Amino acid sequence: MSGLLAGKRLLVTGVITDQSIAFSVAKLAQENGATVVLTGFGRMSLVERIAKRLPEPAPVIELDVTNSEQLAGLADRVREHVDGLDGVVHSIGYAPPSCLGGGFLDAPWEDVATAVHVSTYSYKSLAVAALPLMSPGGSVVGLTFDATKAWPVYDWMGVAKAGLESASRYLALHLGPKGIRSNLVSAGPLRTMAARSIPGFEQFEDAWAQRAPLGWDLSDQEPAARACLALLSDWFPATTGEIVHVDGGYHALGAGS
Ligand SMILES: NC(=O)c1ccc[n+]([C@@H]2O[C@H](COP(=O)([O-])OP(=O)(O)OC[C@H]3O[C@@H](n4cnc5c(N)ncnc54)[C@H](O)[C@@H]3O)[C@@H](O)[C@H]2O)c1
């Protein structure tokens, strides 16, 4: 077997359509020698249908990251397919409609709590659930949207992402002694199901198209997926708690540039 991830066993969450960033990660990972197990949430028959479009059909395990029973049983379910895990990909985000689109001042705590549970706390929950299968050299990778700034319409999802970025650093702190890394890819805007659920998302699209120094293709998930693969590979052995920007360079610019 050859490729960047030859022989690696990966758990990839977050596939819901073939536009999902997770689908691109799973596809590229298989093309680069990895064995992939997917998890799916909610619409399992849809996820199973999409999984069949991968180069190799991948098994799909049901996982709602807010369901503690499913989290507790995850390692055993994964063991039915692979004998261990070298990498885990968290590609999950959700915020109720009140939390997005300009409603920042009015969103009730219950909705904010849901956003943080699914989008932030779950990063830790997933890593801990997978931990019994992991060993030194393992890698956990998640997806963020630059949370160092306040964006129009992103609202409480931005707060949840700021928490995710911090959670990744704490995971790096707590899993480092076990030889396991935690890193995030900060992607520019991509047209996925999650993005379409954000009212006013096109404001990001226009900004990126006009300003990213390298340009930015809103329909190409591959650059973000490639960065995930690199972080899952053995080529970042001493990197943890890091955020790699895959945004055409947008984050590096100041106002008016
Ligand atoms: N699309 C973008 O512009 C963009 C940019 C930067 C970062 N991201 C991040 O990338 C990640 C993947 O999103 P995407 O854009 O590929 O969209 P997507 O809609 O394809 O994926 C989001 C996934 O989250 C899953 N999910 C939601 N609630 C869940 C739960 N309770 N348990 C388990 N899974 C759950 C959905 O089933 C779906 O598969 C998210 O963290 C998102 O915030 C997206």
Side-chain angles (χ1 to χ4, degrees):
M1 211 184 316
S2 64
L4 185 70
L5 299 180
K8 300 265 188 218
R9 303 148 300 173
L10 305 182
L11 184 66
V12 178
T13 66
V15 170
I16 189 73
T17 70
D18 56 10
Q19 302 301 306
S20 295
I21 297 169
F23 182 84
S24 250
V25 173
K27 177 172 176 286
L28 275 180
Q30 287 186 342
E31 288 168 357
N32 282 277
T35 300
V36 172
V37 177
L38 300 178
T39 72
F41 165 65
R43 299 156 71 186
M44 288 302 289
S45 57
L46 174 60
V47 181
E48 272 154 16
R49 205 161 68 236
I50 300 294
K52 293 202 178 85
R53 295 187 195 162
L54 288 168
E56 301 282 326
V60 187
I61 296 169
E62 184 167 22
L63 179 66
D64 172 352
V65 277
T66 65
N67 182 321
S68 39
E69 269 173 38
Q70 287 182 5
L71 284 164
L74 182 68
D76 286 341
R77 299 286 316 274
V78 172
R79 236 182 244 111
E80 291 167 18
H81 306 286
V82 287
D83 55 3
L85 284 176
D86 303 290
V88 175
V89 178
H90 179 284
S91 190
I92 292 170
Y94 172 75
S98 68
C99 294
L100 297 158
F104 183 81
L105 298 179
D106 299 317
W109 164 241
E110 294 70 29
D111 287 354
V112 173
T114 300
V116 170
H117 196 177
V118 177
S119 314
T120 309
Y121 185 76
S122 70
Y123 188 65
K124 189 276 315 180
S125 310
L126 177 68
V128 169
L131 205 52
L133 296 167
M134 297 187 79
S135 48
S139 172
V140 183
V141 176
L143 274 304
T144 189
F145 186 74
D146 186 2
T148 60
K149 297 172 185 72
W151 301 102
V153 309
Y154 208 48
D155 291 324
W156 285 102
M157 194 65 197
V159 179
K161 288 299 192 194
L164 174 70
E165 293 180 4
S166 181
S168 174
R169 289 187 284 269
Y170 277 95
L171 209 59
L173 171 69
H174 288 279
L175 298 188
K178 297 181 192 301
I180 296 170
R181 297 164 286 142
S182 167
N183 294 290
L184 299 178
V185 170
S186 183
L190 293 164
R191 287 192 183 126
T192 62
M193 191 180 266
R196 278 196 296 275
S197 72
I198 304 174
F201 184 76
E202 58 290 343
Q203 294 179 47
F204 295 131
E205 302 189 348
D206 297 343
W208 249 263
Q210 285 163 21
R211 289 190 55 202
L214 286 174
W216 184 250
D217 183 346
L218 296 144
S219 309
D220 186 4
Q221 275 66 307
E222 190 168 321
R226 280 180 174 245
C228 292
L229 256 66
L231 290 167
L232 291 163
S233 79
D234 296 332
W235 286 88
F236 278 102
T239 299
T240 194
E242 189 58 274
I243 300 176
V244 178
H245 292 84
V246 181
D247 64 351
Y250 188 96
H251 74 284
L253 305 189
S257 28

